[in-house]
Amino acid sequence: AQIILSNILILLPGLGDTAAPYRKFAASMELPQTGCVSLRPPLPIPLDMGYQWFESFEPDMNLIQPKKGEKRRIRSLQKSRSILHDAIGAIRATFNLPLSRIFLF
């Protein structure tokens, strides 16, 4: 039997998470005609504490504080945005779906 996908749900783990629990969560939802993809954030957190979408920590593991001239978080978030954009483009091309049928969670 051929499976027809009308939707794609992209799951984005939060700070310190990995993709694995989200894959289990997606499978448990049993959404009809919906494929689910869990993307691992691209940046490792030091000390093997998971992953992050943008730089969050100083070398001493304190949170990066917002201050004038601080650009690490913005630069790393821009890189993650680019990675996510490319991933969505690949998913659209693979499944021939419009953006209106791709959902982020």
Side-chain angles (χ1 to χ4, degrees), residues 46-47 56-64 72:
L47 307 174
S56 304
F57 299 100
E58 297 285 359
D60 64 4
M61 292 305 292
N62 286 314
L63 288 173
I64 295 173
R72 290 175 290 178

Side-chain angles (χ1 to χ4, degrees), residues 2-16:
Q2 183 179 4
I3 297 173
I4 308 270
L5 292 181
S6 299
N7 308 291
I8 297 288
L9 176 62
I10 300 175
L11 301 166
L12 304 172
L15 180 65

